[in-house]
Amino acid sequence: MSADLTRRLWDLAVASRWFSGRSGRPVDVELGPWAGEDLRPAVLVVEFGDGHRERFHVPLLYRDGEPVDACDDGAVLLRALHDGAPGFERYRDVPADLPARRYAGEQSNTSVFFGDELLVKVFRRLEPGRSVDVELHEALAGSGVVAELYGAWVWDGTDLAVFLEALHDPTDGYVLACDYAREGRDFTGHARALGEALATVHHTLAERLPTATIDGAALARESRERFATVAAEVPEVRPFADAVDAVFAEIADDELPAQRVHGDCHLGQVLLSEGRWRYVDFEGEPLKSMEERRRPDSPLRDVAGMLRSFAYARAAGDASADWLADCRAAFLAGYGLPTDAQDPVLAAYETDKAGYEAVYEARFRPELLTVPLAHLASLVTER
């Protein structure tokens, strides 16, 4: 591939918020098949100091022979889906001519809205194989708790983009919860509805995709190892080591049901639209490989993630302990779990998540380290 095109794509990527490869160097460009006369996918291959390579997608639109990012004129992507261009898979009818508007707030991916009806999410950092986001949206079709899937752009078995229903007048779950916390308003109605919607997500995925089991002893061992790593980096968690170990010990003799899950569940992954909560962004934990994201897991990992998110909303809004307790109880009730006794598996996942949070906050937001520490301290109190 020409050095000129490689340099052009590098310069374009470096100037973009979604690009996470700035510490590497461009080594190649892979060009996919034409999807019409002036559109084709390009993949910038970036090599890092340790020798590993990552691939970043730039959909190229040619204007007067010059390549530009097609997301800047996203209407071409909708036309390609409508016309059934090579690589574009359509799951339902789509209109041909809707105004395109690129969303400025995305970072790891790029979204373009088409009127009030559809959006396309263009995946930027690519991994081989079908996207779990596309796969799970397809499995959840008709469930009423996700945006409906309209299509995908695929090259050589890898999803380049996904087309979804655009939710009308959406409200971000974390923003709304923080507002309620700040005002001391009762959020339990929303929390219960979020639990009900997550239960629908899990029940539907369990019915439509394969299930499995997890060895509790292996999970407990892995959780202990992760917490030991946390304690080595964050000395503030060390006083809680015995209580944490006791939490993990309670699942060591269990065989846990596992299935496909959201994988990165929190209040920022839900939108309130027309009075109904929808779960979004089923790409899973960004730091995990595609194989790990596709692996069946306990649905209680998602439940734990949402419970931890309530704790952050409480902290952001400086709400009372009762506000948090009421949100947790309402969410668990909506999901279908008892609120008067702690499930040991849920406790293990929530504690493991708090350890992950402690490392993140210690590195990047030390003023929020008290949030995971409060959870770990509660383990001592409970025991």
Side-chain angles (χ1 to χ4, degrees):
M1 191 54 56
S2 74
D4 178 63
L5 181 58
T6 302
R7 174 53 56 183
R8 282 171 178 250
L9 288 186
W10 174 259
D11 291 342
L12 188 154
V14 166
S16 303
R17 294 176 62 191
W18 51 261
F19 187 53
S20 59
R22 293 175 180 81
S23 62
R25 64 183 184 89
V27 294
D28 195 10
V29 172
E30 303 167 359
L31 289 176
W34 290 96
E37 295 182 358
D38 54 3
L39 175 67
R40 71 188 308 188
V43 176
L44 178 65
V45 182
V46 177
E47 185 173 85
F48 295 84
D50 61 1
H52 88 279
R53 294 185 173 188
E54 295 183 4
R55 303 165 70 240
F56 296 90
H57 173 217
V58 182
L60 290 184
L61 178 63
Y62 286 82
R63 291 290 185 242
D64 299 324
E66 293 296 317
V68 297
D69 189 338
C71 293
D72 292 335
D73 185 11
V76 68
L77 300 173
L78 183 63
R79 288 197 297 271
L81 180 66
H82 174 270
D83 296 343
F88 282 79
E89 299 178 355
R90 190 173 64 240
Y91 292 88
R92 57 180 66 201
D93 291 337
V94 298
D97 297 310
L98 292 173
R101 173 179 58 85
R102 180 169 176 168
Y103 178 58
E106 294 282 338
Q107 289 189 355
S108 59
N109 296 305
T110 301
S111 290
V112 178
F113 287 83
F114 304 112
D116 295 326
E117 299 181 42
L118 301 174
L119 67 87
V120 61
K121 180 163 63 173
V122 175
F123 301 123
R124 294 299 194 171
R125 181 177 174 274
L126 298 182
E127 293 187 65
R130 298 305 305 265
S131 161
V132 293
D133 199 25
V134 176
E135 185 179 11
L136 295 188
H137 271 96
E138 184 175 6
L140 289 164
S143 65
V145 291
V146 298
E148 292 297 327
L149 178 65
Y150 275 77
W153 186 13
V154 186
W155 169 33
D156 195 25
T158 297
D159 285 296
L160 304 175
V162 59
F163 293 81
L164 298 167
E165 170 192 9
L167 303 180
H168 293 173
D169 194 23
T171 300
D172 180 277
Y174 185 70
V175 172
L176 187 66
C178 289
D179 288 344
Y180 272 62
R182 192 173 298 110
E183 298 163 8
R185 297 170 61 191
D186 182 0
F187 194 71
T188 57
H190 287 303
R192 178 181 289 271
L194 284 167
E196 293 170 350
L198 185 60
T200 299
V201 168
H202 288 158
H203 292 158
T204 305
L205 292 178
E207 289 174 353
R208 298 179 181 178
L209 294 175
T211 59
T213 58
I214 297 174
D215 177 46
L219 179 62
R221 181 178 63 254
E222 293 164 3
S223 299
R224 287 190 177 104
E225 291 171 354
R226 280 191 293 270
F227 190 79
T229 301
V230 172
E233 180 172 343
V234 186
E236 290 89 345
V237 309
R238 295 170 191 167
F240 313 117
D242 290 342
V244 168
D245 187 73
V247 170
F248 296 147
E250 292 191 16
I251 64 170
D253 296 328
D254 297 334
E255 194 76 10
L256 313 178
Q259 61 167 85
R260 297 297 295 277
V261 299
H262 184 285
D264 188 26
C265 189
H266 53 78
L267 283 165
Q269 305 283 41
V270 290
L271 295 173
L272 182 64
S273 173
E274 300 181 316
R276 185 161 40 132
W277 284 105
R278 310 280 194 100
Y279 280 79
V280 299
D281 293 337
F282 283 80
E283 296 175 61
E285 171 57 51
L287 296 180
K288 292 183 177 179
S289 68
M290 199 64 70
E291 179 185 359
E292 290 174 310
R293 299 183 210 180
R294 189 169 277 112
R295 188 178 302 153
D297 200 349
S298 169
L300 294 182
R301 184 182 294 280
D302 285 348
V303 175
M306 188 61 75
L307 293 178
R308 296 300 310 137
S309 195
F310 284 128
Y312 276 88
R314 179 229 173 168
D318 196 25
S320 68
D322 287 342
W323 185 91
L324 175 58
D326 291 344
C327 285
R328 290 173 59 92
F331 177 78
L332 291 172
Y335 185 81
L337 286 172
T339 61
D340 57 349
Q342 177 70 285
D343 182 292
V345 179
L346 177 58
Y349 276 109
E350 195 172 357
T351 300
D352 186 56
K353 179 71 170 179
Y356 170 89
E357 294 166 1
V359 171
Y360 184 89
E361 308 306 359
R363 291 177 181 176
F364 306 112
R365 304 186 301 186
E367 73 278 6
L368 290 179
L369 182 57
T370 56
V371 179
L373 291 181
H375 174 77
L376 298 177
S378 72
L379 304 179
V380 177
T381 304
E382 291 170 1
R383 295 171 189 279

